[in-house]
Coordinates of all heavy atoms in Angstrom, one line a residue:
M27 N 72.0 56.0 -26.5 CA 72.8 55.1 -27.4 C 71.8 54.2 -28.1 O 71.0 53.5 -27.4 CB 73.8 54.3 -26.5 CG 74.7 53.4 -27.4 SD 76.0 52.6 -26.5 CE 75.9 53.0 -24.8
K28 N 71.8 54.1 -29.4 CA 70.9 53.2 -30.1 C 71.5 51.8 -30.2 O 72.7 51.6 -30.2 CB 70.7 53.8 -31.5 CG 69.9 55.1 -31.6 CD 69.4 55.4 -32.9 CE 70.5 55.9 -33.8 NZ 71.3 57.1 -33.3
G29 N 70.6 50.8 -30.2 CA 71.0 49.4 -30.3 C 72.0 49.1 -31.3 O 72.9 48.3 -31.1
S30 N 72.0 49.7 -32.5 CA 72.9 49.4 -33.6 C 74.2 50.1 -33.4 O 75.1 49.8 -34.2 CB 72.2 49.7 -34.9 OG 72.0 51.1 -34.9
D31 N 74.4 50.9 -32.5 CA 75.6 51.7 -32.4 C 76.7 51.0 -31.5 O 77.8 51.6 -31.3 CB 75.4 53.1 -31.7 CG 74.6 54.0 -32.7 OD1 74.5 53.6 -33.9 OD2 74.1 55.0 -32.2
H32 N 76.5 49.8 -31.0 CA 77.4 49.1 -30.2 C 78.6 48.7 -31.0 O 78.5 47.9 -32.0 CB 76.8 47.9 -29.5 CG 75.8 48.3 -28.5 ND1 76.1 49.0 -27.4 CD2 74.4 48.1 -28.5 CE1 75.0 49.2 -26.7 NE2 74.0 48.7 -27.3
S33 N 79.8 49.1 -30.7 CA 81.0 48.6 -31.3 C 81.4 47.4 -30.6 O 80.9 47.0 -29.6 CB 82.1 49.7 -31.2 OG 82.6 49.7 -29.9
K34 N 82.3 46.6 -31.2 CA 82.7 45.4 -30.6 C 83.4 45.7 -29.3 O 83.5 44.9 -28.4 CB 83.6 44.6 -31.5 CG 83.9 43.2 -31.1 CD 82.6 42.4 -30.9 CE 82.9 41.1 -30.0 NZ 81.8 40.8 -29.2
F35 N 84.0 46.9 -29.2 CA 84.8 47.2 -28.0 C 84.0 48.2 -27.1 O 84.5 49.3 -26.9 CB 86.2 47.7 -28.4 CG 86.8 46.7 -29.2 CD1 87.1 46.9 -30.6 CD2 87.4 45.6 -28.7 CE1 87.7 46.0 -31.4 CE2 88.0 44.6 -29.4 CZ 88.2 44.8 -30.7
L36 N 82.9 47.9 -26.6 CA 82.1 48.7 -25.7 C 82.9 48.9 -24.4 O 82.9 49.9 -23.8 CB 80.8 48.0 -25.5 CG 79.8 48.8 -24.5 CD1 79.3 50.1 -25.1 CD2 78.6 47.9 -24.2
L37 N 83.5 47.8 -24.0 CA 84.3 47.8 -22.7 C 85.7 48.1 -22.9 O 86.3 47.6 -23.9 CB 84.1 46.4 -22.0 CG 82.7 45.9 -21.7 CD1 82.8 44.6 -21.0 CD2 82.0 46.9 -20.9
T38 N 86.3 48.7 -22.0 CA 87.8 48.8 -22.0 C 88.3 47.4 -21.6 O 87.6 46.6 -21.0 CB 88.3 49.8 -20.9 OG1 88.0 49.4 -19.6 CG2 87.7 51.2 -21.1
H39 N 89.6 47.2 -21.8 CA 90.2 46.0 -21.5 C 90.0 45.7 -20.0 O 89.7 44.5 -19.6 CB 91.7 46.0 -21.8 CG 92.4 44.8 -21.4 ND1 92.2 43.6 -22.1 CD2 93.4 44.5 -20.4 CE1 93.0 42.6 -21.5 NE2 93.7 43.2 -20.5
R40 N 90.2 46.7 -19.1 CA 90.1 46.5 -17.7 C 88.6 46.2 -17.3 O 88.4 45.3 -16.4 CB 90.6 47.7 -16.9 CG 90.7 47.5 -15.4 CD 91.5 46.3 -15.1 NE 92.8 46.7 -14.5 CZ 93.8 45.9 -14.2 NH1 93.6 44.6 -14.4 NH2 94.9 46.4 -13.8
E41 N 87.7 46.9 -17.8 CA 86.3 46.6 -17.5 C 85.9 45.2 -17.9 O 85.2 44.5 -17.1 CB 85.4 47.7 -18.3 CG 85.5 49.1 -17.8 CD 84.8 50.1 -18.7 OE1 84.5 49.7 -19.9 OE2 84.7 51.2 -18.3
R42 N 86.4 44.8 -19.0 CA 86.1 43.4 -19.5 C 86.7 42.4 -18.4 O 86.0 41.4 -18.0 CB 86.7 43.1 -20.8 CG 86.4 41.7 -21.4 CD 87.0 41.6 -22.8 NE 86.6 42.7 -23.7 CZ 85.4 42.7 -24.3 NH1 84.5 41.9 -24.1 NH2 85.2 43.8 -25.1
E43 N 87.9 42.7 -17.9 CA 88.5 41.8 -16.9 C 87.7 41.7 -15.7 O 87.5 40.6 -15.1 CB 89.9 42.3 -16.6 CG 91.0 42.0 -17.6 CD 92.3 42.6 -17.2 OE1 92.4 43.6 -16.6 OE2 93.3 41.9 -17.6
V44 N 87.2 42.9 -15.3 CA 86.4 43.0 -14.0 C 85.1 42.1 -14.2 O 84.8 41.3 -13.4 CB 86.1 44.4 -13.7 CG1 85.0 44.5 -12.6 CG2 87.4 45.1 -13.2
F45 N 84.5 42.3 -15.3 CA 83.2 41.6 -15.6 C 83.4 40.2 -15.8 O 82.5 39.3 -15.4 CB 82.3 42.3 -16.6 CG 81.4 43.4 -16.1 CD1 82.0 44.6 -15.9 CD2 80.2 43.1 -15.6 CE1 81.2 45.6 -15.3 CE2 79.4 44.1 -15.1 CZ 79.9 45.3 -14.9
E46 N 84.5 39.7 -16.4 CA 84.8 38.3 -16.6 C 84.9 37.7 -15.2 O 84.5 36.5 -15.1 CB 86.0 38.1 -17.5 CG 85.6 38.3 -19.0 CD 86.9 38.3 -19.9 OE1 88.0 38.3 -19.4 OE2 86.6 38.3 -21.1
L47 N 85.6 38.4 -14.3 CA 85.7 37.8 -12.9 C 84.3 37.9 -12.2 O 84.0 36.9 -11.4 CB 86.7 38.6 -12.2 CG 88.1 38.3 -12.7 CD1 89.2 39.3 -12.1 CD2 88.6 36.9 -12.4
L48 N 83.6 38.9 -12.4 CA 82.2 39.0 -11.8 C 81.4 37.8 -12.1 O 80.7 37.3 -11.3 CB 81.5 40.3 -12.2 CG 81.4 41.5 -11.3 CD1 80.5 42.5 -11.9 CD2 81.0 41.2 -9.9
V49 N 81.3 37.4 -13.4 CA 80.5 36.3 -13.8 C 81.0 35.0 -13.2 O 80.3 34.0 -13.2 CB 80.3 36.2 -15.3 CG1 79.5 37.4 -15.9 CG2 81.6 35.9 -16.1
Q50 N 82.2 35.0 -12.7 CA 82.7 33.8 -12.0 C 82.4 33.8 -10.5 O 83.0 33.1 -9.8 CB 84.3 33.6 -12.2 CG 84.7 33.4 -13.7 CD 86.2 33.5 -13.8 OE1 86.9 33.2 -12.9 NE2 86.6 34.1 -14.9
D51 N 81.5 34.7 -10.2 CA 81.0 34.8 -8.8 C 82.1 35.3 -7.9 O 82.1 35.0 -6.7 CB 80.5 33.5 -8.4 CG 79.2 33.7 -7.5 OD1 78.6 34.7 -7.5 OD2 78.9 32.7 -6.6
K52 N 83.0 36.1 -8.4 CA 84.1 36.7 -7.5 C 83.5 37.9 -6.8 O 82.7 38.7 -7.4 CB 85.2 37.1 -8.4 CG 85.9 36.0 -9.1 CD 86.9 35.3 -8.3 CE 87.7 34.3 -9.2 NZ 87.7 33.0 -8.6
T53 N 84.0 38.2 -5.6 CA 83.5 39.4 -4.9 C 84.4 40.6 -5.4 O 85.4 40.4 -6.0 CB 83.8 39.3 -3.4 OG1 85.2 39.1 -3.1 CG2 83.0 38.0 -2.8
T54 N 84.0 41.8 -5.0 CA 84.8 43.0 -5.3 C 86.2 42.8 -4.7 O 87.1 43.2 -5.4 CB 84.1 44.2 -4.7 OG1 82.8 44.3 -5.2 CG2 84.8 45.5 -5.0
R55 N 86.3 42.3 -3.5 CA 87.6 42.1 -2.9 C 88.4 41.1 -3.7 O 89.6 41.4 -4.0 CB 87.5 41.6 -1.5 CG 88.8 41.3 -0.9 CD 88.7 41.0 0.6 NE 88.5 42.2 1.3 CZ 87.9 42.4 2.5 NH1 87.5 41.3 3.2 NH2 87.8 43.5 3.1
D56 N 87.8 40.0 -4.1 CA 88.6 39.0 -4.9 C 89.1 39.6 -6.2 O 90.3 39.4 -6.6 CB 87.6 37.8 -5.4 CG 87.1 37.0 -4.2 OD1 87.8 36.9 -3.2 OD2 86.0 36.4 -4.4
I57 N 88.2 40.4 -6.9 CA 88.6 41.0 -8.1 C 89.8 42.0 -7.9 O 90.7 42.0 -8.7 CB 87.4 41.7 -8.8 CG1 86.3 40.6 -9.2 CG2 87.8 42.5 -10.0 CD1 85.0 41.2 -9.6
A58 N 89.6 42.8 -6.9 CA 90.7 43.8 -6.6 C 92.0 43.1 -6.4 O 93.0 43.5 -7.0 CB 90.3 44.6 -5.4
Q59 N 92.0 42.1 -5.6 CA 93.3 41.3 -5.3 C 93.8 40.7 -6.6 O 95.0 40.8 -6.8 CB 93.0 40.3 -4.2 CG 92.8 40.9 -2.9 CD 92.4 39.9 -1.8 OE1 91.9 38.8 -2.1 NE2 92.5 40.3 -0.5
Q60 N 93.0 40.1 -7.3 CA 93.4 39.4 -8.5 C 94.0 40.3 -9.6 O 94.9 40.0 -10.3 CB 92.3 38.6 -9.1 CG 92.7 37.4 -10.1 CD 91.7 36.4 -10.3 OE1 90.8 36.2 -9.5 NE2 91.7 35.8 -11.5
L61 N 93.4 41.5 -9.7 CA 93.8 42.5 -10.7 C 94.9 43.5 -10.1 O 95.3 44.4 -10.9 CB 92.6 43.2 -11.3 CG 91.7 42.3 -12.1 CD1 90.5 43.1 -12.6 CD2 92.3 41.5 -13.2
F62 N 95.1 43.4 -8.9 CA 96.1 44.3 -8.2 C 95.6 45.8 -8.3 O 96.4 46.7 -8.6 CB 97.5 44.2 -8.8 CG 98.0 42.8 -8.7 CD1 98.1 42.0 -9.8 CD2 98.5 42.3 -7.5 CE1 98.5 40.7 -9.8 CE2 98.9 41.0 -7.4 CZ 98.9 40.1 -8.5
I63 N 94.3 46.0 -8.1 CA 93.7 47.3 -8.0 C 92.9 47.4 -6.7 O 92.7 46.4 -6.1 CB 92.9 47.6 -9.3 CG1 91.7 46.6 -9.4 CG2 93.7 47.7 -10.5 CD1 90.8 46.8 -10.6
S64 N 92.5 48.6 -6.4 CA 91.7 48.7 -5.1 C 90.3 48.3 -5.3 O 89.8 48.4 -6.5 CB 91.8 50.2 -4.7 OG 91.0 51.1 -5.5
E65 N 89.6 48.1 -4.3 CA 88.2 47.7 -4.4 C 87.4 48.9 -4.9 O 86.4 48.7 -5.6 CB 87.6 47.3 -3.0 CG 88.1 46.0 -2.5 CD 87.6 45.6 -1.2 OE1 86.4 45.6 -1.0 OE2 88.4 45.2 -0.3
K66 N 87.8 50.1 -4.6 CA 87.1 51.3 -5.1 C 87.2 51.4 -6.6 O 86.3 51.7 -7.3 CB 87.7 52.6 -4.5 CG 87.1 53.8 -5.0 CD 87.4 55.0 -4.2 CE 86.8 56.4 -4.7 NZ 85.7 56.3 -5.6
T67 N 88.4 51.0 -7.1 CA 88.6 51.0 -8.6 C 87.7 50.0 -9.3 O 87.1 50.3 -10.3 CB 90.1 50.8 -8.9 OG1 90.9 51.8 -8.3 CG2 90.4 50.8 -10.4
V68 N 87.6 48.8 -8.6 CA 86.7 47.8 -9.1 C 85.3 48.3 -9.2 O 84.6 48.2 -10.2 CB 86.7 46.5 -8.2 CG1 85.7 45.5 -8.7 CG2 88.1 45.8 -8.3
R69 N 84.8 49.0 -8.1 CA 83.5 49.5 -8.1 C 83.3 50.6 -9.1 O 82.3 50.7 -9.8 CB 83.1 50.0 -6.7 CG 82.9 48.9 -5.7 CD 82.2 49.4 -4.4 NE 83.2 50.2 -3.6 CZ 84.0 49.8 -2.8 NH1 84.1 48.5 -2.5 NH2 84.9 50.6 -2.1
N70 N 84.4 51.4 -9.4 CA 84.3 52.4 -10.4 C 84.1 51.8 -11.7 O 83.3 52.3 -12.6 CB 85.5 53.3 -10.4 CG 85.6 54.3 -9.2 OD1 84.6 54.5 -8.5 ND2 86.8 54.8 -8.9
H71 N 84.9 50.8 -12.0 CA 84.7 50.1 -13.4 C 83.3 49.5 -13.6 O 82.7 49.8 -14.6 CB 85.7 48.9 -13.5 CG 87.2 49.4 -13.7 ND1 87.6 50.3 -14.7 CD2 88.3 49.0 -13.1 CE1 88.9 50.5 -14.6 NE2 89.3 49.7 -13.7
I72 N 82.8 48.9 -12.5 CA 81.4 48.4 -12.6 C 80.4 49.5 -12.8 O 79.5 49.4 -13.7 CB 81.1 47.6 -11.4 CG1 82.1 46.3 -11.3 CG2 79.7 47.2 -11.3 CD1 82.0 45.6 -9.9
S73 N 80.6 50.6 -12.1 CA 79.7 51.7 -12.2 C 79.8 52.3 -13.6 O 78.8 52.7 -14.2 CB 80.1 52.7 -11.1 OG 79.5 53.9 -11.3
N74 N 81.0 52.5 -14.2 CA 81.1 53.0 -15.5 C 80.4 52.2 -16.5 O 79.8 52.7 -17.4 CB 82.6 53.1 -15.9 CG 83.4 54.2 -15.0 OD1 82.8 55.0 -14.5 ND2 84.7 54.1 -15.0
V75 N 80.6 50.9 -16.4 CA 79.9 50.0 -17.4 C 78.4 50.1 -17.2 O 77.7 50.1 -18.2 CB 80.4 48.5 -17.1 CG1 79.5 47.5 -18.0 CG2 81.9 48.4 -17.5
M76 N 77.9 50.2 -16.0 CA 76.5 50.3 -15.8 C 75.9 51.6 -16.4 O 74.9 51.6 -17.0 CB 76.1 50.3 -14.3 CG 76.2 48.8 -13.8 SD 76.0 48.5 -12.0 CE 75.7 50.1 -11.2
Q77 N 76.8 52.6 -16.4 CA 76.3 53.9 -17.0 C 76.3 53.8 -18.5 O 75.4 54.2 -19.2 CB 77.3 55.0 -16.6 CG 76.9 55.6 -15.2 CD 77.8 56.9 -15.0 OE1 79.0 56.8 -15.1 NE2 77.2 57.9 -14.5
K78 N 77.4 53.1 -19.1 CA 77.4 53.0 -20.5 C 76.2 52.2 -21.0 O 75.7 52.4 -22.1 CB 78.7 52.1 -20.9 CG 80.0 52.9 -20.8 CD 81.1 51.9 -21.3 CE 82.5 52.5 -21.0 NZ 83.5 51.6 -21.5
L79 N 75.8 51.2 -20.2 CA 74.7 50.3 -20.7 C 73.4 50.9 -20.2 O 72.3 50.4 -20.7 CB 74.8 48.9 -20.1 CG 76.1 48.2 -20.5 CD1 76.3 46.9 -19.6 CD2 76.0 47.8 -22.0
N80 N 73.4 51.9 -19.4 CA 72.2 52.5 -18.9 C 71.3 51.5 -18.1 O 70.1 51.4 -18.3 CB 71.3 53.2 -20.0 CG 70.3 54.1 -19.5 OD1 70.5 54.7 -18.4 ND2 69.3 54.4 -20.3
V81 N 72.0 50.8 -17.3 CA 71.3 49.8 -16.4 C 71.5 50.1 -14.9 O 72.5 50.8 -14.6 CB 71.7 48.3 -16.7 CG1 71.3 48.0 -18.1 CG2 73.2 48.1 -16.5
K82 N 70.7 49.5 -14.1 CA 70.9 49.7 -12.6 C 71.3 48.3 -12.1 O 70.4 47.4 -12.2 CB 69.6 50.2 -12.0 CG 69.4 51.6 -12.4 CD 68.1 52.1 -11.7 CE 67.8 53.6 -11.9 NZ 68.2 54.1 -13.2
G83 N 72.4 48.1 -11.6 CA 72.8 46.9 -10.9 C 73.7 46.0 -11.8 O 73.7 46.1 -13.0
R84 N 74.6 45.3 -11.1 CA 75.6 44.5 -11.7 C 75.0 43.4 -12.5 O 75.5 43.1 -13.6 CB 76.5 43.8 -10.6 CG 77.3 44.8 -9.8 CD 77.9 44.1 -8.7 NE 78.7 45.1 -7.9 CZ 79.8 44.8 -7.3 NH1 80.3 43.6 -7.2 NH2 80.5 45.7 -6.7
S85 N 74.0 42.7 -12.0 CA 73.4 41.6 -12.7 C 72.8 42.0 -14.0 O 72.9 41.3 -15.0 CB 72.4 40.8 -11.8 OG 71.5 41.7 -11.3
Q86 N 72.1 43.2 -14.0 CA 71.5 43.7 -15.2 C 72.6 44.0 -16.2 O 72.5 43.7 -17.4 CB 70.8 45.0 -14.9 CG 69.3 44.9 -15.2 CD 68.6 46.2 -15.1 OE1 68.8 46.9 -14.0 NE2 67.9 46.6 -16.1
A87 N 73.7 44.5 -15.7 CA 74.9 44.8 -16.6 C 75.4 43.5 -17.3 O 75.7 43.5 -18.5 CB 75.9 45.6 -15.9
V88 N 75.5 42.5 -16.4 CA 76.0 41.2 -16.9 C 75.1 40.7 -18.0 O 75.5 40.3 -19.1 CB 76.2 40.2 -15.8 CG1 76.4 38.8 -16.3 CG2 77.4 40.6 -14.9
V89 N 73.8 40.7 -17.7 CA 72.8 40.2 -18.7 C 72.9 41.0 -20.0 O 72.9 40.4 -21.1 CB 71.3 40.3 -18.1 CG1 70.3 40.1 -19.2 CG2 71.1 39.3 -17.0
E90 N 73.0 42.3 -19.9 CA 73.1 43.1 -21.1 C 74.4 42.8 -21.9 O 74.4 42.7 -23.1 CB 73.1 44.6 -20.6 CG 72.5 45.5 -21.7 CD 71.2 45.1 -22.3 OE1 70.3 44.7 -21.6 OE2 71.1 45.3 -23.5
L91 N 75.5 42.6 -21.2 CA 76.8 42.4 -21.9 C 76.8 41.0 -22.6 O 77.3 40.9 -23.7 CB 77.9 42.4 -20.9 CG 78.3 43.8 -20.3 CD1 79.2 43.7 -19.2 CD2 78.8 44.7 -21.4
I92 N 76.1 40.1 -22.0 CA 75.9 38.7 -22.6 C 75.1 38.9 -23.9 O 75.5 38.3 -25.0 CB 75.4 37.7 -21.6 CG1 76.4 37.4 -20.5 CG2 75.0 36.4 -22.4 CD1 75.8 36.7 -19.3
K93 N 74.0 39.6 -23.8 CA 73.1 39.8 -25.0 C 73.9 40.5 -26.1 O 73.7 40.2 -27.3 CB 71.9 40.8 -24.6 CG 70.8 40.1 -23.9 CD 69.6 41.0 -23.8 CE 68.7 40.7 -22.7 NZ 67.8 41.9 -22.4
L94 N 74.7 41.4 -25.7 CA 75.5 42.2 -26.7 C 76.7 41.3 -27.3 O 77.4 41.8 -28.2 CB 76.0 43.5 -26.1 CG 75.0 44.5 -25.8 CD1 75.6 45.6 -24.9 CD2 74.3 45.1 -27.0
G95 N 76.9 40.2 -26.7 CA 78.1 39.4 -27.1 C 79.4 39.9 -26.6 O 80.5 39.5 -27.1
E96 N 79.3 40.8 -25.6 CA 80.5 41.4 -25.0 C 81.1 40.4 -24.0 O 82.3 40.6 -23.6 CB 80.2 42.7 -24.3 CG 79.9 43.8 -25.2 CD 81.2 44.5 -25.8 OE1 82.2 44.4 -25.2 OE2 81.1 45.0 -26.9
L97 N 80.3 39.6 -23.5 CA 80.7 38.7 -22.3 C 80.3 37.3 -22.6 O 79.1 37.1 -23.1 CB 80.1 39.2 -21.1 CG 80.6 39.0 -19.7 CD1 82.2 39.4 -19.7 CD2 79.9 39.7 -18.7
K98 N 81.1 36.3 -22.3 CA 80.7 34.9 -22.4 C 80.7 34.3 -21.0 O 81.4 34.7 -20.2 CB 81.8 34.1 -23.2 CG 82.1 34.7 -24.6 CD 81.2 34.1 -25.7 CE 81.5 34.6 -27.0 NZ 80.9 35.9 -27.3
I99 N 79.7 33.4 -20.8 CA 79.7 32.7 -19.5 C 79.9 31.2 -19.7 O 79.7 30.7 -20.7 CB 78.4 33.0 -18.7 CG1 77.2 32.7 -19.6 CG2 78.4 34.5 -18.2 CD1 75.9 32.7 -18.8

């Protein structure tokens, strides 16, 4: 994926919700409970986003999403 190919909607609505909670220092369990989904689903969303961004680790994903303007802190 080239740098200029990022659309404004890189993340799905749900992925965005998960990451907005992640930057508020919520745990996987907190996020799962708040969004009424399983912890496994939360981890899948995080993993999908990390793949889209080609990064390893949640914090790297967060940094990248902020750089891309996908996430506000």
Side-chain angles (χ1 to χ4, degrees):
M27 185 171 5
K28 290 192 286 300
S30 60
D31 290 350
H32 293 294
S33 72
K34 190 59 199 145
F35 302 108
L36 178 67
L37 301 181
T38 65
H39 179 69
R40 187 57 105 185
E41 289 167 349
R42 185 178 308 282
E43 287 179 322
V44 167
F45 271 85
E46 283 171 352
L47 291 169
L48 257 188
V49 296
Q50 293 170 35
D51 217 22
K52 302 275 191 231
T53 65
T54 303
R55 173 173 286 158
D56 293 337
I57 295 169
Q59 289 173 343
Q60 199 163 334
L61 298 179
F62 305 103
I63 57 180
S64 73
E65 289 180 51
K66 178 168 177 20
T67 302
V68 173
R69 286 192 293 272
N70 287 344
H71 286 309
I72 293 167
S73 169
N74 291 342
V75 171
M76 287 176 357
Q77 280 186 311
K78 284 184 193 182
L79 296 169
N80 198 21
V81 296
K82 291 177 171 42
R84 297 172 177 209
S85 51
Q86 241 187 309
V88 167
V89 168
E90 207 49 44
L91 290 170
I92 292 164
K93 278 190 206 164
L94 293 169
E96 289 280 335
L97 204 55
K98 306 267 182 280
I99 51 166

